[in-house]
Amino acid sequence: MRVPPVYRRWVTCPVPRPQASLRLFCFHFAGGDASIFRLWTTQLPASVEVCPIELPGRATRRAEPPITQFPELLEKLAGMMLPFVKQLPFALFGHSFGGITAFELARWLRRNGGPMPTRLFLSACPALHLRQAPPSPITHLPDTEFLEEVATRFGTPREVLTSDDVRDTVLPALRADLSVGESYRYQPEPPLDVPISSFGALQDPEVSQQEAEAWQHQTTRDFRLRMFPGNHFFLSAERIRLHKAIVEDLQLPAKKGG
């Protein structure tokens, strides 16, 4: 990718595929990082170049100050992604917090005359027009209370949240991302002229099937809903079925051997 190195801090490409016909940009959930899509880079067909997004304040960018306001995040991210989305056809995949980012990036590109994605994949993310009131703020709480609220809201196992590793490495990024979420305000715009696939989980305490299905009102094109087993974090457990759905919806040849 012939772009300055600073851009590649944001748009990672662990397995470059120069012959790919499409790029899939992947946006992580709150507190996550680009590594959650590591297996995607080799398990999707060779025609897809997977480009996970790495936000500041975590993993390889842990030394950088995190962004805590959604308008700032969107403007910086969009500017860093423009060189990439102009090179190849592309699709956007976002899980939970990443779904908000992917959706608003598509609308930013439309407002600014940029190229549009071939498809938008929104996973564990409620249709945002249904939740115009901001979520109850929790990022001001002390660590113990904050993590308890996270466990209740998203169904995250409490033993995971109370581990030393989470407190040392994930907590700062989680606070930053949820601050971004608390600052987000949905603004009505016309539906996108982009097909949308919505993925939900049957035992998700945060996003109901009705909220996942309501994304159909944000597109003038094809809409598909799939519900998977599991809770809000079905991303890893259902990876194979997610990949199958992505390949089907992008109308790509399946990866040989699986």
Side-chain angles (χ1 to χ4, degrees), residues 137-185:
I138 62 174
T139 53
H140 64 285
L141 296 172
D143 289 354
T144 300
E145 289 87 341
F146 171 71
L147 292 173
E148 180 64 27
E149 287 292 332
V150 169
T152 300
R153 184 173 293 185
F154 299 107
T156 312
R158 284 167 171 79
E159 60 271 19
V160 171
L161 292 175
T162 54
S163 70
D164 291 339
D165 182 60
V166 166
R167 287 183 179 272
D168 293 341
T169 62
V170 178
L171 184 57
L174 182 59
R175 279 193 181 276
D177 292 346
L178 291 182
S179 293
V180 171
E182 290 175 1
S183 73
Y184 172 74
R185 299 293 183 272

Side-chain angles (χ1 to χ4, degrees), residues 65-101:
I67 296 173
T68 59
Q69 297 296 308
F70 189 82
E72 178 187 1
L73 173 64
L74 182 61
E75 289 296 322
K76 288 189 175 181
L77 177 62
M80 291 296 176
M81 289 188 64
L82 273 177
F84 297 90
V85 301
K86 290 178 178 179
Q87 292 174 341
L88 279 179
F90 67 97
L92 305 176
F93 176 95
H95 187 85
S96 192
F97 165 77
I100 301 175
T101 311

Side-chain angles (χ1 to χ4, degrees), residues 29-30 95-96 124 150 154-157 201 204 230-237:
F29 49 77
H95 187 85
S96 192
V150 169
F154 299 107
T156 312
D204 188 346
N231 61 17
H232 193 70
F233 295 100
F234 63 91
L235 189 62
S236 295

Side-chain angles (χ1 to χ4, degrees), residues 102-154:
F103 173 67
E104 288 297 347
L105 176 64
R107 300 211 298 176
W108 186 98
L109 289 168
R110 179 176 64 179
R111 289 194 301 271
N112 290 275
M116 297 300 290
T118 59
R119 196 167 194 103
L120 189 56
F121 295 97
L122 302 170
S123 177
C125 184
L128 298 171
H129 60 275
L130 299 182
R131 295 194 182 183
Q132 298 192 34
S136 301
I138 62 174
T139 53
H140 64 285
L141 296 172
D143 289 354
T144 300
E145 289 87 341
F146 171 71
L147 292 173
E148 180 64 27
E149 287 292 332
V150 169
T152 300
R153 184 173 293 185
F154 299 107

